[in-house]
Amino acid sequence: MTSTSRFAPSDPQLRDLELRRQQIQQALQDCRAGTLALFQAVDSTTFCQQIHPEFSPIGWHLGHIAFTEGLWILEHCAGQAPLLPQYRRLFAADGLPKAERCNLPNLADTYTYLDTVTTQVLQYLKVAPLDSQERLWHWLLQHESQHCETISFLLQLQRWTAELKPSSRLDQPQQHSDSSDFEEMVCIPAGAFQQGNDSLDAIDNERPVHSVDLATYWIDRYPVTNGQYRKFIAAGGYQNPHWWSESGWQWRQANGITQPLYWPNDPAWAAHPVCGVSCYEAEAYARFVQKRLPTEAEWEKAASWHPQKQQRQTYPWGEVFPSAESGIGRCNHDHLEGQTTLVDAYPKGQSFYGCYDMLGNVWEWTASWFDGYDGFEFYPYRGYSQVYFDGQHRVLRGGSWVTRPWGLRCAFRNWYEPGTRQILAGFRCVRDAEPPAA
Ligand code: AVJ
Ligand code: FE
């Protein structure tokens, strides 16, 4: 028996609240253990270095996690004065430009800052009026999860850049025993489904839940693999404007792009999802195979809808929280395998319609521009989602092999500019159904 049950209050409502309080505490601590684990092999140079021009140094993300907890919990909720106000300008999201975030306190001082804030945050959690704050605590957990993803992305980028000789990755892929090419598509019959998420952990941009009616379409059972993408490269796809959108071709020309970033030029990777592509490359490939990218509604219906129950599912497989069981789990996330996996590695993770890898492995580009659903209300601040409803950002769905479990679900929406070559992002394609014969 745990202390939870021994000291549980007798009022069932109160007991439920105390249980939720303990679950939040446990989740915050589990999340933090994973965050700190990312820094195990990080030296002081890497800590302060801007690895990618569009992203802050990884040490900044650690300080920013601390600052955000302090701001929302200690200042806004507990009404305390800022802890260590000298860090505000440095670690606030709207403080310094990214290129000026290299002048950081050292590793040890940043850990101390984080630890000082979190000790007080957990102290406050014991007495926090959860009924009115629970959503904020869930948001905070996912905020840290999101920054973990960025830290992992930057570390992986640095690793591949260091290993690069000059265009193949040195990781050891898991290889496939047969040579199947994963071309299969599944049919999603016409009908309405419920898009979005209104649970306590829903991010502002996932709300409100609403009905979307879709015509019949076909969607790839698997993400596009390196083996498939290789054919596009071999056929001169990068030299032929016919496959590219106008803005995509301009982007390709301006940047001299001829293959995905860190393209593994080795058949051993054939059954892994292609990654390191921009949305433009994904669209060009889709056109090359006479398909297109899914809208986010098409993606979400294929991932989450259970037509027999007429219900949304949180995960493709139902409601079981993603667990960290290597190989026997439901999807490749949270550094389980340390790299991408074969696109058919997780049969237990299939959606109702039989799509694999809808969660984990690689993020998937969609055809949709990031925007608020009808009735959108920002939370907890306008800058979290709303400032990106600018017609400049495309939605990505599904999470990657580094995504923490708290940010992994069918309704979750990520966004990047279409020209970002995200090494954690790939895609799958859809095709309209043939019109019924007359
Ligand atoms: C959803 C990953 C695009 O990192 O910019 C973190 C998440 N927002 N802190 C980002 C986020 C504020 C966001 N992405
Ligand atoms: Fe942030």
Side-chain angles (χ1 to χ4, degrees):
M1 284 280 110
T2 63
S3 54
T4 326
S5 50
R6 262 191 288 138
F7 299 114
S10 49
D11 174 353
Q13 252 176 346
L14 214 60
R15 201 162 53 212
D16 177 54
L17 192 71
E18 290 319 304
L19 185 63
R20 273 149 49 208
R21 199 187 296 279
Q22 298 220 348
Q23 284 168 341
I24 290 172
Q25 185 191 324
Q26 188 64 54
L28 286 169
Q29 287 171 330
D30 290 350
C31 183
R32 179 59 50 83
T35 308
L36 294 176
L38 294 175
F39 285 84
Q40 251 161 23
V42 168
D43 57 36
S44 51
T45 313
T46 303
F47 193 75
C48 302
Q49 184 186 358
Q50 197 182 18
I51 295 168
H52 187 290
E54 285 160 39
F55 295 88
S56 309
I58 63 166
W60 181 87
H61 290 275
L62 201 61
H64 170 75
I65 289 168
F67 172 79
T68 305
E69 274 195 354
L71 176 69
W72 289 98
I73 301 298
L74 301 181
E75 293 182 46
H76 287 225
C77 294
Q80 296 179 15
L83 265 185
L84 305 168
Q86 68 271 30
Y87 289 146
R88 170 179 289 273
R89 199 166 121 74
L90 175 60
F91 289 128
D94 55 2
L96 296 173
K98 285 177 182 162
E100 289 168 34
R101 291 173 176 173
C102 296
N103 210 346
L104 300 170
N106 66 31
L107 227 131
D109 288 347
T110 312
Y111 283 156
T112 304
Y113 174 43
L114 184 64
D115 196 52
T116 308
V117 174
T118 301
T119 303
Q120 296 212 18
V121 164
L122 293 178
Q123 204 57 40
Y124 174 71
L125 175 58
K126 295 195 173 121
V127 298
L130 261 199
D131 272 335
S132 60
Q133 290 177 358
E134 204 165 358
R135 186 176 175 196
L136 186 66
W137 289 91
H138 282 272
W139 175 81
L140 199 65
L141 179 64
Q142 294 179 71
H143 180 262
E144 181 161 344
S145 302
Q146 290 290 294
H147 282 281
C148 282
E149 174 122 6
T150 306
I151 294 162
S152 301
F153 160 76
L154 291 168
L155 288 174
Q156 188 66 18
L157 201 64
Q158 190 198 41
R159 215 183 113 218
W160 280 351
T161 306
E163 281 176 355
L164 211 62
K165 314 256 188 297
S167 74
S168 68
R169 311 203 297 251
L170 298 183
D171 327 22
Q172 281 307 307
Q174 298 166 306
Q175 295 200 34
H176 221 271
S177 44
D178 66 55
S179 59
S180 54
D181 58 7
F182 305 106
E183 294 287 355
E184 212 177 323
M185 299 184 88
V186 299
C187 182
I188 314 288
F193 84 106
Q194 299 289 310
Q195 181 177 30
N197 172 19
D198 54 8
S199 67
L200 266 177
D201 63 357
I203 297 296
D204 59 2
N205 62 55
E206 293 171 73
R207 301 175 183 229
V209 171
H210 55 284
S211 182
V212 180
D213 202 358
L214 296 175
T216 303
Y217 60 99
W218 292 76
I219 187 163
D220 289 342
R221 191 186 287 283
Y222 308 98
V224 171
T225 63
N226 288 310
Q228 292 165 347
Y229 198 86
R230 172 186 296 277
K231 296 178 195 164
F232 173 64
I233 301 177
Y238 278 87
Q239 285 73 47
N240 188 347
H242 179 72
W243 309 122
W244 298 73
S245 66
E246 200 177 309
S247 42
W249 186 250
Q250 268 172 20
W251 170 87
R252 198 215 68 81
Q253 298 281 81
N255 297 286
I257 306 292
T258 56
Q259 60 182 31
L261 192 59
Y262 305 109
W263 171 244
N265 198 15
D266 181 339
W269 286 91
H272 287 244
V274 65
C275 59
V277 287
S278 71
C279 188
Y280 297 128
E281 290 163 284
E283 283 176 329
Y285 174 87
R287 189 147 177 217
F288 173 72
V289 294
Q290 296 173 313
K291 299 181 188 175
R292 59 179 173 81
L293 292 186
T295 63
E296 52 173 331
E298 288 168 335
W299 190 97
E300 190 169 328
K301 184 179 180 184
S304 74
W305 191 237
H306 196 300
Q308 289 167 353
K309 296 182 186 162
Q310 286 288 297
Q311 266 175 16
R312 280 178 300 127
Q313 306 190 114
T314 307
Y315 311 104
W317 54 85
E319 299 305 317
V320 182
F321 188 72
S323 69
E325 305 160 89
S326 178
I328 54 168
R330 293 178 174 82
C331 67
N332 179 16
H333 70 290
D334 210 13
H335 297 268
L336 264 187
E337 306 294 341
Q339 60 177 26
T340 57
T341 40
L342 303 170
V343 294
D344 65 347
Y346 293 92
K348 277 171 66 186
Q350 285 178 72
S351 70
F352 173 86
Y353 295 108
C355 292
Y356 279 66
D357 265 358
M358 295 304 280
L359 296 187
N361 222 4
V362 287
W363 287 100
E364 299 182 17
W365 286 106
T366 72
S368 301
W369 295 103
F370 187 46
D371 202 354
Y373 297 147
D374 272 352
F376 170 86
E377 286 176 43
F378 72 76
Y379 182 90
Y381 57 100
R382 215 185 141 264
Y384 190 81
S385 302
Q386 199 174 349
V387 297
Y388 302 99
F389 299 162
D390 56 0
Q392 306 288 323
H393 294 81
R394 286 292 189 93
V395 175
L396 297 97
R397 293 299 198 106
S400 74
W401 58 268
V402 309
T403 304
R404 311 296 310 274
W406 303 282
L408 196 71
R409 57 180 170 270
C410 297
F412 191 91
R413 309 168 75 199
N414 200 355
W415 62 90
Y416 279 107
E417 289 176 21
T420 304
R421 310 187 82 203
Q422 237 288 10
I423 57 167
L424 302 175
F427 61 102
R428 77 180 70 213
C429 305
V430 296
R431 174 184 282 158
D432 294 327
E434 300 291 328

